[in-house]
Amino acid sequence: MEDSEKKHILDPASSRQLHSALTAGKDELYLVLQSPSIEVLRAALRNPALDEAHLLTLLKRRDLPEDLIKAIHKLPLAAESHNLKLALVKNPNTPGTIVTMLLPHLYLFELVAVCFLPGVTPDQKLAAERAVIQRIPTTPLGNKLTLARRGTAPVLEALLREGDPQVVEICLSNPQIKEAFIFQFLSSARATAENISMIARHPRWKTRPNIIGAILKNQRTPLIWFDLFLPGLNTAELKKLLASGRLDGPRKKSVEEALHRRRH
């Protein structure tokens, strides 16, 4: 054993701190948990007075090493307390394996909040998003509407795929939503006439060429949108639309008439 290690073990001040960590009462234990010494903190985990409130205070620290967090996770208190599970997930030093184990125990909007935590790792965010998406099919409509306002891009994509008009309308205004998702949605069976019209009149999407093209190629698009969008297309775009093979009789006729007007 090195001299420095012997000195540390025999240091009376360190011994007193460790003894205090093991024997402090509830109020004194809060002071112990402010210690910079990991050995002192580890000893405090064995204090009989330790309760949920102490651990919640400790988990607010951002300097805890992984091995100490693992020790906290193994405590019976952590297994019994929802608040401690959430605090463990929120601590940026909690190992990803523990975060993944704890995510199924969190409430829906706690999972959403995890996605936006400062310092959240990509893997942790992805795991939280997947947990949210798995719950979407059984989530009440009111919560889906809130998710549409707060969700990340993958969550919004999953909500869009369900095609509920009330949810779709809110998703369209969420800054997280991507044009590619809207394009894919317009090409899916969930794109009803009502949903297509929502997109076609939405100020964010109604001027996007790719979105307009997808709207015009959908056979469920109401004819009114052909009347409104076709005049804004050039001749080459009209010919491309006509050649797409995606138009039924009435919609094909609208494009042909628009081309005829260009020639005369």
Side-chain angles (χ1 to χ4, degrees):
M1 182 179 290
E2 296 181 0
D3 291 342
S4 60
E5 291 178 334
K6 290 180 180 178
K7 182 179 179 181
H8 176 73
I9 292 174
L10 299 175
D11 181 3
S14 296
S15 296
R16 286 194 298 272
Q17 289 178 2
L18 290 172
H19 179 74
S20 177
L22 290 166
T23 61
K26 284 186 177 294
D27 292 338
E28 293 79 11
L29 192 52
Y30 284 106
L31 294 175
V32 171
L33 295 178
Q34 297 176 21
S35 172
S37 168
I38 301 304
E39 290 79 8
V40 169
L41 298 179
R42 190 173 288 111
L45 298 184
R46 303 198 300 272
N47 188 311
L50 186 77
D51 61 18
E52 179 189 74
H54 293 117
L55 289 174
L56 290 173
T57 297
L58 181 58
L59 285 168
K60 289 179 181 178
R61 290 180 55 166
R62 296 297 181 258
D63 61 345
L64 303 181
E66 282 194 7
D67 63 332
L68 186 67
I69 291 179
K70 289 178 180 177
I72 296 171
H73 175 245
K74 291 178 181 177
L75 293 173
L77 275 172
E80 298 165 1
S81 167
H82 179 86
N83 290 333
L84 286 174
K85 291 183 177 72
L86 179 59
L88 280 163
V89 170
K90 286 184 174 182
N91 192 294
N93 298 329
T94 300
T97 52
I98 292 178
V99 171
T100 301
M101 284 190 290
L102 294 176
L103 287 176
H105 298 279
L106 301 190
Y107 301 128
L108 181 66
F109 291 107
E110 290 173 343
L111 290 169
V112 174
V114 168
C115 296
F116 293 99
L117 282 176
V120 66
T121 68
D123 287 345
Q124 290 171 339
K125 182 178 180 181
L126 180 61
E129 287 171 335
R130 285 176 175 171
V132 171
I133 291 168
Q134 287 171 356
R135 297 186 194 183
I136 284 177
T138 57
T139 296
L141 177 59
N143 285 347
K144 288 180 182 178
L145 297 176
T146 304
L147 269 183
R149 295 185 184 93
R150 301 184 189 174
T152 59
V155 171
L156 296 175
E157 184 180 10
L159 289 168
L160 270 183
R161 283 198 295 265
E162 290 203 330
D164 185 293
Q166 295 180 72
V167 177
V168 169
E169 187 170 22
I170 297 174
C171 285
L172 295 176
S173 297
N174 188 316
Q176 298 286 328
I177 198 73
K178 308 296 184 184
E179 181 174 332
F181 298 163
I182 305 296
F183 184 86
Q184 291 169 8
F185 175 68
L186 285 166
S187 303
S188 73
R190 294 290 188 177
T192 63
E194 182 179 3
N195 288 333
I196 293 169
S197 292
M198 285 180 186
I199 298 169
R201 62 173 170 261
H202 195 282
R204 183 179 171 190
W205 306 111
K206 67 181 182 180
T207 59
R208 310 249 179 144
N210 287 337
I211 298 301
I212 292 172
I215 289 172
L216 295 175
K217 289 176 183 176
N218 193 309
Q219 295 191 14
R220 290 181 293 274
T221 296
L223 285 169
I224 182 63
W225 298 112
F226 280 74
D227 296 338
L228 291 172
F229 285 138
L230 291 181
L233 302 185
N234 60 43
T235 300
E237 289 170 330
L238 289 172
K239 289 180 178 179
K240 185 178 179 181
L241 181 59
L242 192 60
S244 69
R246 302 276 295 276
L247 305 178
D248 62 6
R251 289 159 182 80
K252 184 177 180 180
K253 183 179 178 182
S254 292
V255 179
E256 289 173 338
E257 289 175 349
L259 277 170
H260 180 74
R261 287 192 292 272
R262 300 288 173 89
R263 299 189 189 104
H264 297 84

